[in-house]
């Protein structure tokens, strides 16, 4: 019985490790594209904003299929799906509206990430995910507050993606120990 649990934990750690490396790469590429678009809310900028939470949906689906810890992940799928739809509608309304939607998504998905990470901490490699979830809540609040600034900008969203990607990279590296 113990070897089955260890194999299952090892398989999950390997799956999450690969997923986290992919999420890191996506976050970096996305941030570069966002910077290259100069964070404008034209068709490319809005598409980039919508793609980010949709990628989160896909990653949560992969995670839920491999881990069977689906409650929090299903919540994340729903939240990120709603965020993608809301961002598609918020884009034409301007930067303040986008920041409010992105901020609300960052707060709620950060809470879910925090809860899922806490539940998985025995697996190993989850402290970066726990920290990332907590920081996402704070960053989301700052995006919402920043929407009221005199000249709000989307530049911080790209930085948020980079930082989140770094947390995924660190977690993937730490999960290497659990996978062995």
């Amino acid at each position: 019985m113990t070897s089955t649990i260890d194999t299952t934990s090892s398989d999950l750690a390997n799956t999450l490790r690969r997923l986290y490396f992919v999420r890191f790469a996506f976050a970096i590429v996305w941030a570069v594209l966002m910077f290259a678009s100069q964070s404008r809310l034209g068709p490319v900028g809005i598409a980039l904003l919508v793609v980010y939470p949709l990628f989160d949906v896909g990653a949560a689906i992969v995670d839920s299929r491999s881990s069977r810890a689906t409650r929090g992940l299903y919540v994340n799928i729903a939240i990120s799906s709603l965020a993608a739809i809301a961002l598609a509608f918020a884009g034409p309304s301007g930067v303040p509206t986008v920041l409010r939607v992105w901020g609300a998504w960052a707060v709620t998905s950060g809470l879910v990430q925090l809860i899922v990470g806490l539940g998985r901490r025995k697996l190993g490699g989850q402290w970066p995910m726990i920290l990332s979830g907590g920081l996402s809540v704070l960053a989301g609040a700052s995006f919402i507050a920043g929407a009221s600034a005199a000249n709000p900008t989307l530049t911080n969203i790209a930085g948020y993606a980079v930082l989140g990607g770094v947390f995924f990279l660190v977690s993937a590296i730490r999960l290497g120990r659990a996978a062995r």
Side-chain angles (χ1 to χ4, degrees):
M1 184 83 169
T2 304
S3 63
T4 303
I5 293 170
D6 291 341
T7 301
T8 303
S9 293
S10 178
D11 290 345
L12 177 57
N14 279 322
T15 300
L16 290 177
R17 187 170 193 243
R18 285 190 302 272
L19 179 62
Y20 290 174
F21 278 129
V22 169
R23 291 193 75 164
F24 163 72
F26 174 81
I28 300 303
V29 169
W30 184 89
V32 167
L33 292 173
M34 195 67 179
F35 278 125
S37 75
Q38 298 177 358
S39 302
R40 290 196 182 118
L41 284 178
V44 172
I46 293 171
L48 283 170
L49 290 169
V50 170
V51 164
Y52 197 93
L54 288 178
F55 185 84
D56 194 52
V57 168
I61 289 170
V62 169
D63 190 343
S64 70
R65 287 184 177 169
S66 63
S67 69
R68 302 187 195 271
T70 55
R71 185 175 296 155
L73 295 170
Y74 284 150
V75 170
N76 190 50
I77 290 167
I79 291 168
S80 294
S81 296
L82 290 172
I85 294 165
L87 286 164
F89 284 101
S93 297
V95 173
T97 305
V98 167
L99 286 172
R100 287 183 189 100
V101 170
W102 191 280
W105 174 55
V107 168
T108 54
S109 65
L111 285 171
V112 171
Q113 184 179 13
L114 180 65
I115 292 165
V116 170
L118 285 169
R120 289 181 170 167
R121 69 183 178 277
K122 289 183 181 180
L123 177 64
Q126 293 303 298
W127 284 108
M129 294 295 89
I130 293 166
L131 291 171
S132 177
L135 288 174
S136 185
V137 171
L138 296 174
S142 76
F143 294 141
I144 293 168
S148 300
N151 292 313
T153 179
L154 298 177
T155 306
N156 290 341
I157 289 176
Y160 167 79
V162 170
L163 184 59
V166 168
F167 277 111
F168 277 113
L169 176 63
V170 170
S171 191
I173 291 167
R174 292 183 53 98
L175 274 169
R177 294 181 197 153
R180 288 185 214 116

mmCIF file of all heavy atoms in Angstrom, residues 37-56:
data_model
loop_
_atom_site.group_PDB
_atom_site.id
_atom_site.type_symbol
_atom_site.label_atom_id
_atom_site.label_comp_id
_atom_site.label_asym_id
_atom_site.label_seq_id
_atom_site.Cartn_x
_atom_site.Cartn_y
_atom_site.Cartn_z
ATOM 1 N N SER A 37 3.523 44.896 -26.876
ATOM 2 C CA SER A 37 2.306 45.577 -27.321
ATOM 3 C C SER A 37 2.149 46.924 -26.629
ATOM 4 O O SER A 37 1.180 47.633 -26.883
ATOM 5 C CB SER A 37 1.075 44.719 -27.058
ATOM 6 O OG SER A 37 0.736 44.727 -25.690
ATOM 7 N N GLN A 38 3.110 47.243 -25.764
ATOM 8 C CA GLN A 38 3.117 48.473 -24.975
ATOM 9 C C GLN A 38 1.852 48.592 -24.128
ATOM 10 O O GLN A 38 1.358 49.672 -23.858
ATOM 11 C CB GLN A 38 3.300 49.695 -25.875
ATOM 12 C CG GLN A 38 4.614 49.672 -26.616
ATOM 13 C CD GLN A 38 4.779 50.840 -27.557
ATOM 14 O OE1 GLN A 38 3.897 51.683 -27.721
ATOM 15 N NE2 GLN A 38 5.926 50.894 -28.194
ATOM 16 N N SER A 39 1.334 47.427 -23.755
ATOM 17 C CA SER A 39 0.157 47.334 -22.878
ATOM 18 C C SER A 39 -1.018 48.154 -23.384
ATOM 19 O O SER A 39 -1.786 48.710 -22.610
ATOM 20 C CB SER A 39 0.533 47.757 -21.453
ATOM 21 O OG SER A 39 1.567 46.953 -20.963
ATOM 22 N N ARG A 40 -1.153 48.229 -24.692
ATOM 23 C CA ARG A 40 -2.288 48.957 -25.283
ATOM 24 C C ARG A 40 -3.515 48.059 -25.319
ATOM 25 O O ARG A 40 -3.413 46.849 -25.411
ATOM 26 C CB ARG A 40 -1.931 49.401 -26.697
ATOM 27 C CG ARG A 40 -0.887 50.480 -26.704
ATOM 28 C CD ARG A 40 -0.840 51.172 -28.060
ATOM 29 N NE ARG A 40 0.220 52.169 -28.045
ATOM 30 C CZ ARG A 40 1.268 52.122 -28.842
ATOM 31 N NH1 ARG A 40 1.403 51.172 -29.730
ATOM 32 N NH2 ARG A 40 2.180 53.069 -28.774
ATOM 33 N N LEU A 41 -4.668 48.682 -25.319
ATOM 34 C CA LEU A 41 -5.914 47.930 -25.317
ATOM 35 C C LEU A 41 -6.512 47.815 -26.719
ATOM 36 O O LEU A 41 -7.713 47.895 -26.897
ATOM 37 C CB LEU A 41 -6.922 48.563 -24.367
ATOM 38 C CG LEU A 41 -6.658 48.291 -22.900
ATOM 39 C CD1 LEU A 41 -7.672 49.005 -22.022
ATOM 40 C CD2 LEU A 41 -6.673 46.804 -22.613
ATOM 41 N N GLY A 42 -5.667 47.621 -27.705
ATOM 42 C CA GLY A 42 -6.145 47.310 -29.038
ATOM 43 C C GLY A 42 -6.504 45.836 -29.109
ATOM 44 O O GLY A 42 -6.506 45.129 -28.092
ATOM 45 N N PRO A 43 -6.782 45.339 -30.285
ATOM 46 C CA PRO A 43 -7.152 43.926 -30.422
ATOM 47 C C PRO A 43 -6.098 42.962 -29.872
ATOM 48 O O PRO A 43 -6.444 41.970 -29.220
ATOM 49 C CB PRO A 43 -7.321 43.740 -31.935
ATOM 50 C CG PRO A 43 -7.611 45.112 -32.461
ATOM 51 C CD PRO A 43 -6.887 46.062 -31.552
ATOM 52 N N VAL A 44 -4.817 43.251 -30.110
ATOM 53 C CA VAL A 44 -3.755 42.365 -29.614
ATOM 54 C C VAL A 44 -3.693 42.410 -28.090
ATOM 55 O O VAL A 44 -3.608 41.365 -27.432
ATOM 56 C CB VAL A 44 -2.384 42.736 -30.228
ATOM 57 C CG1 VAL A 44 -1.255 41.953 -29.580
ATOM 58 C CG2 VAL A 44 -2.402 42.509 -31.738
ATOM 59 N N GLY A 45 -3.745 43.587 -27.520
ATOM 60 C CA GLY A 45 -3.686 43.720 -26.067
ATOM 61 C C GLY A 45 -4.855 43.038 -25.382
ATOM 62 O O GLY A 45 -4.682 42.336 -24.373
ATOM 63 N N ILE A 46 -6.054 43.223 -25.921
ATOM 64 C CA ILE A 46 -7.237 42.579 -25.329
ATOM 65 C C ILE A 46 -7.129 41.058 -25.473
ATOM 66 O O ILE A 46 -7.427 40.312 -24.531
ATOM 67 C CB ILE A 46 -8.535 43.124 -25.956
ATOM 68 C CG1 ILE A 46 -8.710 44.606 -25.574
ATOM 69 C CG2 ILE A 46 -9.744 42.301 -25.505
ATOM 70 C CD1 ILE A 46 -9.829 45.314 -26.303
ATOM 71 N N ALA A 47 -6.678 40.608 -26.638
ATOM 72 C CA ALA A 47 -6.507 39.160 -26.835
ATOM 73 C C ALA A 47 -5.518 38.589 -25.823
ATOM 74 O O ALA A 47 -5.752 37.517 -25.239
ATOM 75 C CB ALA A 47 -6.049 38.868 -28.261
ATOM 76 N N LEU A 48 -4.416 39.296 -25.600
ATOM 77 C CA LEU A 48 -3.434 38.832 -24.611
ATOM 78 C C LEU A 48 -4.057 38.761 -23.216
ATOM 79 O O LEU A 48 -3.812 37.810 -22.471
ATOM 80 C CB LEU A 48 -2.214 39.752 -24.594
ATOM 81 C CG LEU A 48 -1.223 39.588 -25.740
ATOM 82 C CD1 LEU A 48 -0.207 40.722 -25.740
ATOM 83 C CD2 LEU A 48 -0.529 38.236 -25.655
ATOM 84 N N LEU A 49 -4.837 39.765 -22.872
ATOM 85 C CA LEU A 49 -5.481 39.778 -21.550
ATOM 86 C C LEU A 49 -6.435 38.601 -21.381
ATOM 87 O O LEU A 49 -6.519 38.017 -20.309
ATOM 88 C CB LEU A 49 -6.226 41.097 -21.336
ATOM 89 C CG LEU A 49 -5.351 42.330 -21.162
ATOM 90 C CD1 LEU A 49 -6.193 43.594 -21.221
ATOM 91 C CD2 LEU A 49 -4.572 42.268 -19.857
ATOM 92 N N VAL A 50 -7.141 38.241 -22.440
ATOM 93 C CA VAL A 50 -8.100 37.139 -22.370
ATOM 94 C C VAL A 50 -7.377 35.786 -22.354
ATOM 95 O O VAL A 50 -7.786 34.863 -21.649
ATOM 96 C CB VAL A 50 -9.102 37.217 -23.546
ATOM 97 C CG1 VAL A 50 -9.962 35.970 -23.639
ATOM 98 C CG2 VAL A 50 -9.966 38.466 -23.411
ATOM 99 N N VAL A 51 -6.288 35.681 -23.105
ATOM 100 C CA VAL A 51 -5.554 34.418 -23.209
ATOM 101 C C VAL A 51 -4.955 33.991 -21.864
ATOM 102 O O VAL A 51 -4.922 32.799 -21.548
ATOM 103 C CB VAL A 51 -4.458 34.517 -24.294
ATOM 104 C CG1 VAL A 51 -3.439 33.411 -24.182
ATOM 105 C CG2 VAL A 51 -5.098 34.503 -25.667
ATOM 106 N N TYR A 52 -4.508 34.953 -21.067
ATOM 107 C CA TYR A 52 -3.843 34.595 -19.809
ATOM 108 C C TYR A 52 -4.751 33.783 -18.880
ATOM 109 O O TYR A 52 -4.381 32.697 -18.445
ATOM 110 C CB TYR A 52 -3.296 35.844 -19.117
ATOM 111 C CG TYR A 52 -2.270 35.530 -18.062
ATOM 112 C CD1 TYR A 52 -0.916 35.526 -18.364
ATOM 113 C CD2 TYR A 52 -2.641 35.221 -16.760
ATOM 114 C CE1 TYR A 52 0.038 35.228 -17.401
ATOM 115 C CE2 TYR A 52 -1.694 34.916 -15.788
ATOM 116 C CZ TYR A 52 -0.362 34.927 -16.117
ATOM 117 O OH TYR A 52 0.582 34.623 -15.170
ATOM 118 N N PRO A 53 -5.956 34.252 -18.558
ATOM 119 C CA PRO A 53 -6.813 33.422 -17.695
ATOM 120 C C PRO A 53 -7.285 32.139 -18.399
ATOM 121 O O PRO A 53 -7.518 31.122 -17.740
ATOM 122 C CB PRO A 53 -7.976 34.321 -17.313
ATOM 123 C CG PRO A 53 -7.934 35.459 -18.247
ATOM 124 C CD PRO A 53 -6.538 35.571 -18.760
ATOM 125 N N LEU A 54 -7.401 32.155 -19.726
ATOM 126 C CA LEU A 54 -7.768 30.927 -20.431
ATOM 127 C C LEU A 54 -6.665 29.878 -20.313
ATOM 128 O O LEU A 54 -6.949 28.683 -20.182
ATOM 129 C CB LEU A 54 -8.077 31.215 -21.906
ATOM 130 C CG LEU A 54 -9.380 31.958 -22.177
ATOM 131 C CD1 LEU A 54 -9.538 32.226 -23.668
ATOM 132 C CD2 LEU A 54 -10.577 31.199 -21.614
ATOM 133 N N PHE A 55 -5.420 30.317 -20.346
ATOM 134 C CA PHE A 55 -4.314 29.395 -20.131
ATOM 135 C C PHE A 55 -4.393 28.828 -18.716
ATOM 136 O O PHE A 55 -4.127 27.643 -18.504
ATOM 137 C CB PHE A 55 -2.963 30.083 -20.369
ATOM 138 C CG PHE A 55 -1.804 29.144 -20.282
ATOM 139 C CD1 PHE A 55 -1.431 28.379 -21.368
ATOM 140 C CD2 PHE A 55 -1.090 29.006 -19.099
ATOM 141 C CE1 PHE A 55 -0.369 27.491 -21.282
ATOM 142 C CE2 PHE A 55 -0.029 28.128 -18.999
ATOM 143 C CZ PHE A 55 0.333 27.365 -20.102
ATOM 144 N N ASP A 56 -4.765 29.671 -17.764
ATOM 145 C CA ASP A 56 -4.941 29.224 -16.382
ATOM 146 C C ASP A 56 -6.019 28.143 -16.302
ATOM 147 O O ASP A 56 -5.868 27.171 -15.562
ATOM 148 C CB ASP A 56 -5.278 30.421 -15.489
ATOM 149 C CG ASP A 56 -5.141 30.115 -14.018
ATOM 150 O OD1 ASP A 56 -4.075 29.619 -13.613
ATOM 151 O OD2 ASP A 56 -6.096 30.386 -13.277
#
